[in-house]
Amino acid sequence: MNAPYPPSPPPAAGRDRTTLWGVLGIVLGLLCCGILGILFGYLSIRDAKRYGQSPVLGYLAITFGVINIIGSWILRSTGNYPFGND
């Protein structure tokens, strides 16, 4: 008798940090550190794919991180950056 394999159990919910990475990425991407926003956005997307959740928070974190980096670069190049112009 050939019985099919039983379905694999879902991943442990305690290890799912999709929302944590996404929110951290959005906050850091908006406020200070674009690179950390991109990093946490990537981690959020990776976990979302792993656990079958929506990767929207990760995409938002990456977008805000890139906007932060581009905006900081523009402000620095024009001399209008509010921090570090001694």
Side-chain angles (χ1 to χ4, degrees), residues 25 27 48 57 62 65 68:
V27 170
L57 290 176
I62 290 174
N68 184 318

Side-chain angles (χ1 to χ4, degrees), residues 10-64:
R15 298 189 51 111
D16 180 18
R17 294 189 174 103
T18 304
T19 305
L20 172 70
W21 297 135
V23 170
L24 276 174
I26 289 171
V27 170
L28 291 175
L30 280 175
L31 296 181
C32 65
C33 309
I35 293 176
L36 287 177
I38 293 170
L39 174 69
F40 287 135
Y42 167 75
L43 292 174
S44 177
I45 292 170
R46 184 193 67 181
D47 280 357
K49 288 180 181 178
R50 183 180 293 165
Y51 294 106
Q53 293 187 1
S54 173
V56 172
L57 290 176
Y59 291 133
L60 285 174
I62 290 174
T63 302
F64 291 143

